Amino acid sequence: MSFFEAMKKVASKAREASRKVSCAEGSARNLAITELAELLQAEKDFIFAENRKDLEAARKNGLDAARLQRLEITESVLEYMIKGCEEVAAQGDPVGEISKMERRPNGMMVGRMRVPMGVIMMIFESRPNVTVDAAVLCLKAGNAVILRGGSEAIHSNLALAALLRKALERAGLPGDAVQVVEVTDREAVSELLKMDEYIDVVIPRGGEGLIRAVVQQATMPVLKHYKGVCHIFVDKSAEIPKAMDVIKNAKVQKPGVCNALECLLVHEDIAEDFLPSLGTLLSACGVTLKGCPRAMPLLGEKAVAAEFDDWGREFLDLTLAVKVVCGQDEAQEHIARYGSNHSEVILTRDHARAMRFIREVDASMVGVNASTRFNDGGQLGLGAEIGISTSKLHAYGPMGATELTSTKFVLLGDWHIRN
Amino acid sequence: MSFFEAMKKVASKAREASRKVSCAEGSARNLAITELAELLQAEKDFIFAENRKDLEAARKNGLDAARLQRLEITESVLEYMIKGCEEVAAQGDPVGEISKMERRPNGMMVGRMRVPMGVIMMIFESRPNVTVDAAVLCLKAGNAVILRGGSEAIHSNLALAALLRKALERAGLPGDAVQVVEVTDREAVSELLKMDEYIDVVIPRGGEGLIRAVVQQATMPVLKHYKGVCHIFVDKSAEIPKAMDVIKNAKVQKPGVCNALECLLVHEDIAEDFLPSLGTLLSACGVTLKGCPRAMPLLGEKAVAAEFDDWGREFLDLTLAVKVVCGQDEAQEHIARYGSNHSEVILTRDHARAMRFIREVDASMVGVNASTRFNDGGQLGLGAEIGISTSKLHAYGPMGATELTSTKFVLLGDWHIRN
């Protein structure tokens, strides 16, 4: 069987299953998710054993420690998966709600019903817990899903897929509603990315190279985020000690993630009061500061001069670029030029400047007096999330179960005809 | 200058203009639209003269009468454009609304602000009135727009573009917020379709060939609809005289459009009572009926046997396929297989069957006891529309100004940090 034929089979089975899942009651979808939670607990020795096969192969292939760690399913990773299932099952049903139902001048009732998207394809790198997170969220929203994880995690993913199938069948739903692609060749993915008649949307999660390759090839829409180059603008009216706490949190609490702070923009009127103590604080936390020429003398002796390509750079480690700006205009210009539409924050006591910032800055989350680290589905109140979209079509920001649905128009007539 | 360089200039000017338009107040955007309405009136001789150049060239090139008609800007087409501008200007502002603002457990306020999409590219065929409709709707929603109409309409489109630029400048907005691509070569469009760093979404309007070509090439998301294969299912409990009125309206009122009826599915229990009089009625209206073997004996002598490829076919003329089905299951199976996710209607007096139909059938508009012809932005209460999306990402159904926006998360903190 060619890749094309094999993938067409996967995609058409997903389409068929999606019709059944989309019509299933929320109780059946929730039952599949709670059954999965039970199976993850009951079958944990099986999961650990399959995961060990991946870990051994990865060690042989010389995978680095960070990637090995992401690949490993520990007791606590498993507990986290189970807890995730329980939380998603407990959420309200995103499907079926009818909103904006209004009576038209001719007496017809017109509203919008929230409906599943159809078939979602997820392409991700090595972390096997994404397999469960993604499957559960797609299923909650009434979708079928095709999962394609990294080849390093294939044993773990197939083990989880087997449990997912069992859980679906126990709930009376088609097992094909969640499929893990067994073929890990790139050509197989390329075939799937052309099947827009079966697949409604693709969500890649991983490095920029992976995402660009998906965008180039896909004929269906892509929900994506490339990177998080997040800024904080410290206005001249910021409260200095509180501003330092927020900046430290945004940079230091978890520097390797997309909503961590990468670049600080400081109003020139506050720079002299602010930057020396900030330099001391962040240096003590192990942060390397890269300053613009005006910031350099204020940041302490450990600071280094920023290079041109440090602006707009996603460091993903304990490095922070710092620039002194003339005011809000220059700060917003800088963000428009170098930001990545992810998370942008102003620290200020001035109401008008706060309102201007949230209105004018184009990012999936704009904030006032809060850490960039809050751009996360759980923190913003969506519950679990499947990723953060930095493009504006369909969803902008964290995507929970509701963001994996659409709405259709519902028309209730009394034998109405159009004149 | 190469196509790439020329198009990059267009796209980057649009991106720059979009930043300004997105921050402009609604009053400025509305002023540009009402100024345009005035200019269309004041400069109508110029518009007609430029349009005549296109018409003459088209006649020389042997364009058929239907396409010539679509190309012509008559007094009434112009009046319709002007009225469209006035209506859109009078609508509420889709931009800036903050919704779902809630207080999180830690006291942060989190909501969603409606924001423009950014840069929209429209690709369409010969009708020059689309130039004005599209520009005005994109602008209302705070977007910049790149318009690429058919080469046959280039003089008309450039004339309208000149007026649009004047209207924008009178309102203090950047003239580049609406650009008509002067180069009509296909390669120029191909270059634009790769510029996802500048263009957020592309909306093609035209034949299936055009849309497929755009989907294949575009690296940015595409809002599209391929075709409208609309069904009506006549349940056994339908009221016969009223059902006949609805069907006649759906098929006959304007057969050449995407929300016209193409296929009728009739419950077997009502077929004998229903089809003979329907056959008489529709034949008298000039409709050619193409029946399945069970329908044929009931449809009258003018009916012809349906071929296999008549199911799922968009006739776009006075032809209707008719099939007798065993019940709702078979009707919904048929729609799932042959429908195009456009407009699907059930005619019934039975509440449970109506509710099942609207829940289970996957189409941008599902209706009960009403004509398929209501799937239209004006009829469903959106005001003007830019097209009807039959894919579920971002918008499903008619797209008005609100569908040309997105939402970003707004976070109002009190110096909050994440634990």
Side-chain angles (χ1 to χ4, degrees):
Chain A
M1 196 156 52
S2 71
F3 283 140
F4 170 75
E5 283 162 1
M7 293 305 109
K8 194 176 165 180
K9 208 170 147 193
V10 168
S12 61
K13 284 199 293 184
R15 168 60 64 199
E16 189 57 34
S18 98
R19 282 194 54 214
K20 291 185 187 132
V21 177
S22 71
C23 294
E25 292 302 338
S27 56
R29 285 178 270 120
N30 287 336
L31 180 60
I33 296 168
T34 52
E35 288 287 345
L36 176 65
E38 280 177 29
L39 283 166
L40 290 171
Q41 186 62 47
E43 303 284 345
K44 68 182 183 180
D45 293 337
F46 166 62
I47 297 168
F48 293 146
E50 294 299 304
N51 184 238
R52 269 195 301 275
K53 291 182 192 168
D54 288 330
L55 290 168
E56 276 156 30
R59 272 188 212 105
K60 265 185 210 154
N61 293 330
L63 230 69
D64 62 57
R67 290 178 75 189
L68 273 176
Q69 201 199 335
R70 273 186 281 167
L71 186 56
E72 188 174 5
I73 304 180
T74 60
E75 283 275 0
S76 77
V77 167
L78 190 74
E79 266 171 45
Y80 198 78
M81 284 186 201
I82 294 169
K83 196 162 154 268
C85 292
E86 287 160 356
E87 282 174 9
V88 171
Q91 285 179 10
D93 195 346
V95 173
E97 177 202 29
I98 298 184
S99 61
K100 301 184 189 171
M101 188 59 104
E102 61 166 29
R103 197 170 168 87
R104 299 287 305 149
N106 65 357
M108 299 186 314
M109 299 295 296
V110 173
R112 299 189 189 194
M113 184 190 285
R114 198 157 280 287
V115 292
M117 201 95 87
V119 177
I120 297 174
M121 179 172 172
M122 287 277 308
I123 302 178
F124 50 98
E125 289 171 342
S126 50
R127 293 164 57 161
N129 58 315
V130 175
T131 308
V132 167
D133 289 358
V136 160
L137 220 48
C138 289
L139 193 59
K140 176 80 185 187
N143 299 293
V145 59
I146 299 171
L147 299 164
R148 204 281 196 176
S151 52
E152 321 85 271
I154 188 68
H155 291 99
S156 315
N157 286 337
L158 290 177
L160 295 169
L163 301 183
L164 276 156
R165 177 172 289 271
K166 202 180 279 186
L168 285 161
E169 286 168 356
R170 282 190 186 172
L173 295 173
D176 291 331
V178 179
Q179 293 177 84
V180 167
V181 178
E182 294 186 37
V183 194
T184 53
D185 300 70
R186 290 206 172 172
E187 295 93 282
V189 176
S190 299
E191 292 294 349
L192 282 170
L193 290 174
K194 294 189 199 103
M195 297 184 180
D196 53 297
E197 72 211 279
Y198 297 115
I199 302 172
D200 295 283
V201 57
V202 55
I203 307 178
R205 272 180 69 169
E208 203 168 334
L210 168 75
I211 297 170
R212 290 211 186 270
V214 169
V215 168
Q216 286 301 320
Q217 294 178 68
T219 54
M220 67 289 287
V222 184
L223 289 177
K224 58 183 178 288
H225 94 104
Y226 284 121
K227 55 183 178 175
V229 181
C230 307
H231 299 78
I232 289 181
F233 168 49
V234 185
D235 178 42
K236 62 181 174 184
S237 74
E239 289 192 40
I240 291 181
K242 290 178 175 174
M244 300 225 299
D245 286 346
V246 170
I247 292 162
K248 180 182 160 193
N249 181 261
K251 180 70 249 179
V252 175
Q253 195 224 11
K254 204 167 180 184
V257 293
C258 58
N259 57 17
L261 178 66
E262 304 292 9
C263 180
L264 191 69
L265 304 166
V266 182
H267 195 293
E268 59 184 5
D269 291 357
I270 201 177
E272 276 181 44
D273 288 338
F274 186 69
L275 286 180
S277 9
L278 185 80
T280 308
L281 174 74
L282 291 184
S283 295
C285 299
V287 176
T288 302
L289 295 165
K290 294 190 151 190
C292 73
R294 293 181 71 189
M296 276 303 285
L298 305 169
L299 284 171
E301 54 194 21
K302 286 187 190 158
V304 294
E307 312 276 325
F308 177 72
D309 67 357
D310 286 328
W311 312 116
R313 185 158 157 201
E314 190 181 30
F315 297 107
L316 290 175
D317 63 19
L318 286 173
T319 307
L320 180 67
V322 181
K323 187 179 166 73
V324 175
V325 293
C326 304
Q328 188 162 2
D329 283 347
E330 191 186 344
Q332 292 187 187
E333 280 295 325
H334 185 97
I335 291 169
R337 181 157 175 202
Y338 295 108
S340 63
N341 308 107
H342 199 289
S343 314
E344 304 292 348
V345 162
I346 184 173
L347 304 182
T348 188
R349 285 185 294 189
D350 186 285
H351 178 68
R353 275 179 233 134
M355 293 308 285
R356 179 184 165 201
F357 189 91
I358 63 166
R359 174 147 192 268
E360 293 186 357
V361 171
D362 179 12
S364 81
M365 185 196 86
V366 288
V368 178
N369 300 343
S371 173
T372 54
R373 294 273 297 114
F374 285 114
N375 195 358
D376 167 278
Q379 299 294 323
L380 295 180
L382 277 63
E385 65 161 59
I386 203 161
I388 295 177
S389 168
T390 58
S391 52
K392 269 167 276 184
L393 211 83
H394 189 76
Y396 197 27
M399 296 181 285
T402 305
E403 283 68 34
L404 299 176
T405 63
S406 184
T407 59
K408 65 182 175 188
F409 283 87
V410 170
L411 169 56
L412 304 179
D414 187 23
W415 309 96
H416 281 87
I417 61 172
R418 183 166 169 186
N419 297 319
Chain B
M1 194 158 49
S2 70
F3 283 141
F4 171 75
E5 283 161 1
M7 293 305 110
K8 195 176 164 179
K9 208 171 149 193
V10 169
S12 61
K13 283 198 294 184
R15 166 63 63 200
E16 189 58 34
S18 99
R19 283 192 53 213
K20 291 186 188 132
V21 176
S22 71
C23 295
E25 293 301 340
S27 56
R29 285 178 271 121
N30 288 336
L31 180 60
I33 296 168
T34 52
E35 288 287 347
L36 176 65
E38 280 177 30
L39 283 165
L40 289 172
Q41 186 61 49
E43 303 285 347
K44 67 182 183 181
D45 293 337
F46 166 62
I47 297 169
F48 293 146
E50 294 299 304
N51 184 237
R52 269 196 301 275
K53 292 183 190 167
D54 288 329
L55 289 169
E56 276 156 31
R59 272 187 212 105
K60 264 186 211 156
N61 293 328
L63 230 67
D64 62 57
R67 291 177 75 188
L68 273 176
Q69 200 199 337
R70 274 184 283 168
L71 185 56
E72 188 173 6
I73 303 180
T74 59
E75 283 276 0
S76 77
V77 167
L78 191 75
E79 265 172 44
Y80 199 77
M81 286 186 199
I82 294 169
K83 196 162 154 268
C85 292
E86 286 161 356
E87 281 174 9
V88 171
Q91 283 179 12
D93 195 345
V95 173
E97 177 203 29
I98 298 184
S99 62
K100 300 185 190 172
M101 188 60 105
E102 62 167 28
R103 199 171 165 88
R104 299 288 305 149
N106 66 357
M108 300 186 313
M109 298 297 295
V110 174
R112 299 189 189 195
M113 183 190 284
R114 198 158 279 287
V115 292
M117 201 94 88
V119 177
I120 296 174
M121 179 173 172
M122 286 277 308
I123 302 178
F124 51 98
E125 290 172 342
S126 50
R127 292 164 58 162
N129 59 314
V130 175
T131 307
V132 168
D133 289 358
V136 160
L137 219 48
C138 289
L139 192 59
K140 177 80 185 186
N143 299 293
V145 60
I146 299 171
L147 298 163
R148 203 280 195 178
S151 53
E152 321 85 271
I154 188 69
H155 291 99
S156 315
N157 286 337
L158 289 177
L160 296 170
L163 301 183
L164 276 156
R165 175 172 291 270
K166 201 179 279 186
L168 285 162
E169 286 167 356
R170 282 190 186 172
L173 295 174
D176 291 331
V178 179
Q179 292 178 84
V180 167
V181 178
E182 294 187 38
V183 194
T184 53
D185 301 71
R186 291 206 171 173
E187 295 93 284
V189 176
S190 299
E191 293 295 348
L192 282 169
L193 289 173
K194 294 190 197 101
M195 298 184 178
D196 53 286
E197 73 212 277
Y198 298 114
I199 301 172
D200 294 282
V201 58
V202 54
I203 306 178
R205 271 180 72 168
E208 203 168 333
L210 168 76
I211 297 170
R212 290 211 185 272
V214 169
V215 168
Q216 286 301 320
Q217 293 178 69
T219 54
M220 66 289 286
V222 183
L223 289 178
K224 59 182 178 287
H225 94 104
Y226 284 120
K227 55 182 176 176
V229 181
C230 307
H231 299 78
I232 289 181
F233 168 49
V234 185
D235 179 40
K236 62 181 174 185
S237 73
E239 288 192 40
I240 291 180
K242 290 178 175 172
M244 300 222 302
D245 286 346
V246 170
I247 292 161
K248 180 182 160 192
N249 181 259
K251 180 70 251 179
V252 175
Q253 195 225 9
K254 204 168 180 184
V257 293
C258 58
N259 56 18
L261 177 66
E262 304 292 10
C263 180
L264 190 69
L265 303 166
V266 182
H267 195 294
E268 59 183 5
D269 291 358
I270 202 176
E272 277 181 44
D273 288 339
F274 186 70
L275 287 180
S277 10
L278 185 79
T280 308
L281 175 73
L282 291 184
S283 295
C285 298
V287 176
T288 302
L289 296 164
K290 293 190 151 189
C292 73
R294 294 180 72 188
M296 277 302 287
L298 304 170
L299 284 171
E301 53 195 19
K302 286 189 191 158
V304 294
E307 311 276 323
F308 178 73
D309 67 356
D310 285 328
W311 312 117
R313 187 159 156 200
E314 190 181 30
F315 297 107
L316 291 175
D317 61 20
L318 286 173
T319 307
L320 179 67
V322 181
K323 187 179 165 71
V324 175
V325 294
C326 303
Q328 189 162 1
D329 284 347
E330 191 185 343
Q332 292 187 187
E333 281 296 325
H334 186 98
I335 291 169
R337 183 158 173 199
Y338 295 108
S340 63
N341 307 107
H342 199 289
S343 313
E344 304 293 349
V345 161
I346 184 173
L347 304 182
T348 187
R349 284 184 294 186
D350 186 285
H351 179 67
R353 275 179 232 134
M355 293 307 286
R356 180 185 163 199
F357 190 90
I358 63 167
R359 175 148 193 267
E360 294 186 356
V361 170
D362 180 13
S364 80
M365 184 195 86
V366 288
V368 178
N369 300 344
S371 173
T372 54
R373 294 272 297 115
F374 285 114
N375 195 359
D376 167 278
Q379 298 295 322
L380 296 179
L382 277 63
E385 64 161 60
I386 203 161
I388 295 178
S389 167
T390 58
S391 51
K392 270 168 275 184
L393 213 83
H394 189 75
Y396 197 27
M399 296 181 286
T402 305
E403 283 67 34
L404 299 177
T405 63
S406 185
T407 59
K408 65 183 177 189
F409 284 87
V410 170
L411 170 57
L412 303 179
D414 187 22
W415 310 95
H416 280 88
I417 61 172
R418 182 166 169 185
N419 297 318

